[in-house]
Amino acid sequence: MGIRIRDGLFSLETKNSLYQMKTDEEGLLNHVYYGRKTTDDMSYLNRRIDRAFSGNPYDRQDDRSYSTDTLPQEYPTGGAGDYRIPALLAEAGNGSRTCELRFESARKLQGKVKPAGLPGVRGNESTEGLEIILRDKVYGLTVHLIYYVFEEQDIIVRSVRLENTGAMTICLRKAASVSIDFACGSPRELIHFHGRHNMERNPERLSIPKGGCISAGSTRGTSSHHSNPYVILCNRNTTENEGECWGFMLMYSGNHLEETGADQMGSVRFVAGIHPETFRWKLEKGDEFQTPEAILSYSDGGLNGLSRNYHRIIRDEVIHPKWKNAEAPVLLNSWEASYFNFDKESLLNLAGEAKELGMDMLVLDDGWFGKREDDTTGLGDWTCNEKKLGCSLAELSEKIHAKGLKFGLWVEPEMISEDSDLYRSHPDWALSDPGRKPVVGRNQLVLDMSRQETQDYLYNALSDILDKVKIEYIKWDFNRSMANIYSHALPEDRQGETAHRFILGTYSLLERLLERYPDLLIEGCSGGGGRFDAGMLYYTPQIWCSDDTDAIERLEIQRGTSYGYPPCTMGAHVSACPNHQTGRTVPMKTRGIVAMSGTFGYEMNPALLTENEKTEIREQIKSFRRFRPILANGDYYRLDEIGETADFTAWMFVSPDRREALVNLVGSHVRANAAFPYIRLKGLDPDRMYRAEETGEIASGAALMYGGYTYFPLNGDYPAVQMHWVSEK
Ligand code: GLA
């Protein structure tokens, strides 16, 4: 099990999958197989034949069947006769842009090592890994392909370290984290997750084109609302519960690119990593570059099976272990309650209401610092506006704690307002091109996080607050796309490093702060879910999923997010109706059921609620606390297919011991004389009898899974049903 090396054949085994590579007689590392587990040598799949216009290495002129253009490769490079998507584009100091990597050596690794400067899948000292070293002899470029195997979760983690071991300067123009070649015939489709502010992570399923390539990615400086760094390849007949699929998730929060296309014979290549458009990295002699990790998984249990693999690895090995079984606070956030208009009194009133309703924490959102009365000023001036608040932050926090609540605070550290003391003293700390007016977004500029002094400034400013004020939670926001990615601190020939150095700076700041404040819970945010990725989840175990708090919109957003990320990471709140983003009115019960499938909290002014609504909220919080173990650690199943035009959305959680299940159904379109809403439950024990707490019905796991369950037609606007099925024995 784990990792086997035999006669140039490298096999990485997880519980249900095999990943295989082999070196050939030229020293080229061939990709052999990634799929359902077998213990065979699968290299017989790599047949060779002469294909015209597919050139041959010089020394193989008499064997036209050997071509880098047709062989399946593990880390393909540009310039040397492979015309498919390259994983590596390197340019030497003499202008040459041809790179040929050949096998040097391989060794097993014992114990997971975090990639330098980046977040990594955690693992431990018993995690097994493999390092394969390839080298371009002319450049003196040494490439370390690093693999780790997480057997139980069916996950393989890949990354690449590039080292200039030659005499010339080398410029990396593209250095992907992962590349993989599939034999002709499979997979045929790509699912990617596109979106926009207020509607993140919509799955779209596309055919993989022949002779061309399709790509998803972001050049916005962050992983973005618009294209998540997670994609799935699958077969045409793969459904939620059946068929093969391969997941590729970058553990990265900056610009990224995922590309796939089928070659002249229909074999599919997939490549993903840092987006080359905003990347150029100079490696002087002796320098190294480390790519982000890519988290790979294979499932033959359909998309739900693949999602569960990702949910497990993220819960077990991405988020910090201290949060795994911790009870995230049920919070009341001030944003939709009062936006920028608050003072000590109004906040203490909110806190009083929150406590009375059974919540755990009050979060003070935007507007408490500098001279910030709206979104045009103050970013960078991280000192409390005591005049506006009517007291110090420390006093406010003390009073909130005295009510028996925790206190949380919003910050947006990586930004700077032109109208701020910080900008007036350090205009060169903002990203901007010499001689040009910068693009503004939400009236703000982006702080140059690649600079050590900006990181230090933020570390000191935030530490100063955290030292003086009792704060259990920080909401860490990022509210615009980056542009003018030019650092006034880097030399001209290193400007192409700014975008990646920015993200490294952010990671480093988060790392330092969490080292100093290990109990601090940070919720990631970027205008909602604009930086929802595994890189941020390493530091921030929950991320605000979307600024769209409408429960019916959230059905789509949270469903789309669930393909890669577990519900316990999705920030979700019950907000006021009519909803502030859509104007829609949805019953409190439905809003509660939807937010419960996330971190759960509220975002409204409870003083404006009726007594009945308040009673409902108290009950909602009680049932959330009761179901929290299954919601946080249960297996999650989507009960409908992508793009199905059902009048309802259904999803469920099953406890790890399969003794209980929580089934949720929300009607998005109620019809007269309607059919019975019908679902088939998943993940139950077929031999157990389950009883529904709400109706008293009793049925076997087999009946509920194979025969399914019908509801009576739903009634009213956006109704919801939640059923708790509990094993009889
Ligand atoms: C972003 C966040 C919101 C809120 C505002 C404050 O849009 O996503 O939740 O914090 O900023 O300006």
Side-chain angles (χ1 to χ4, degrees), residues 48-56 63-67 70:
R48 297 177 189 172
I49 196 167
D50 176 11
R51 304 251 181 236
F53 289 87
S54 292
N56 322 107
D63 174 10
R64 296 205 208 158
S65 69
Y66 188 98
S67 173
T70 53

Side-chain angles (χ1 to χ4, degrees), residues 550-552 574-575 577 584-594 613 616 620 666-667 715-720:
D550 177 313
I552 301 307
V574 173
S575 62
C577 277
R584 188 186 272 129
T585 294
V586 175
M588 183 66 85
K589 179 177 176 186
T590 306
R591 283 180 268 162
I593 286 175
V594 174
E613 286 172 323
E616 244 185 297
Q620 228 163 49
V666 173
N715 205 262
D717 276 342
Y718 313 110

Side-chain angles (χ1 to χ4, degrees), residues 139-215:
Y139 286 1
L141 178 64
T142 303
V143 173
H144 305 251
L145 303 181
I146 316 275
Y147 302 80
Y148 289 102
V149 175
F150 290 82
E151 266 179 58
E152 267 312 296
Q153 295 94 342
D154 276 321
I155 293 285
I156 289 176
V157 174
R158 268 187 80 169
S159 75
V160 181
R161 187 157 53 83
L162 301 113
E163 197 185 347
N164 185 347
T165 47
M168 284 189 279
T169 300
I170 298 170
C171 176
L172 302 177
R173 290 159 54 220
K174 181 179 188 182
S177 297
V178 54
S179 172
I180 192 163
D181 279 344
F182 292 89
C184 176
S186 148
R188 280 281 154 257
E189 294 188 345
L190 165 88
I191 302 171
H192 71 117
F193 299 88
H194 67 96
R196 58 182 189 273
H197 177 236
N198 276 346
M199 185 42 78
E200 295 88 340
R201 289 170 293 286
N202 306 282
E204 184 183 39
R205 200 161 165 160
L206 301 169
S207 281
I208 297 174
K210 282 192 181 168
C213 143
I214 40 173
S215 67

Side-chain angles (χ1 to χ4, degrees), residues 332 349-350 352-359 574 588-589 591 602 604-622:
L332 178 65
N349 286 341
L350 273 185
E353 296 273 0
K355 180 67 193 167
E356 207 273 319
L357 291 172
M359 301 179 203
V574 173
M588 183 66 85
K589 179 177 176 186
R591 283 180 268 162
Y602 291 79
M604 53 166 57
N605 182 357
L608 305 176
L609 298 173
T610 64
E611 274 317 308
N612 281 347
E613 286 172 323
K614 287 187 182 182
T615 310
E616 244 185 297
I617 287 183
R618 281 188 207 100
E619 288 309 311
Q620 228 163 49
I621 295 174
K622 276 192 206 137

Side-chain angles (χ1 to χ4, degrees), residues 197 333 335-336 339-340 365-367 372 375 410 412 442 475 477-479 525-529 544 546-547 603:
H197 177 236
N333 180 294
W335 183 239
E336 288 194 19
Y339 296 100
F340 289 102
D365 210 283
D366 197 354
R372 193 150 165 105
D375 62 12
W410 178 97
E412 194 182 356
R442 209 192 189 203
K475 179 175 169 190
D477 215 335
F478 190 102
N479 275 320
C525 178
S526 172
W544 183 226
S546 179
D547 273 350
E603 179 123 359

Side-chain angles (χ1 to χ4, degrees), residues 296-315:
L296 279 54
S297 187
Y298 164 81
S299 167
D300 64 352
L303 302 169
N304 264 321
L306 190 72
S307 296
R308 285 195 303 281
N309 293 348
Y310 279 99
H311 293 183
R312 267 194 290 270
I313 197 80
I314 289 173
R315 285 192 309 235

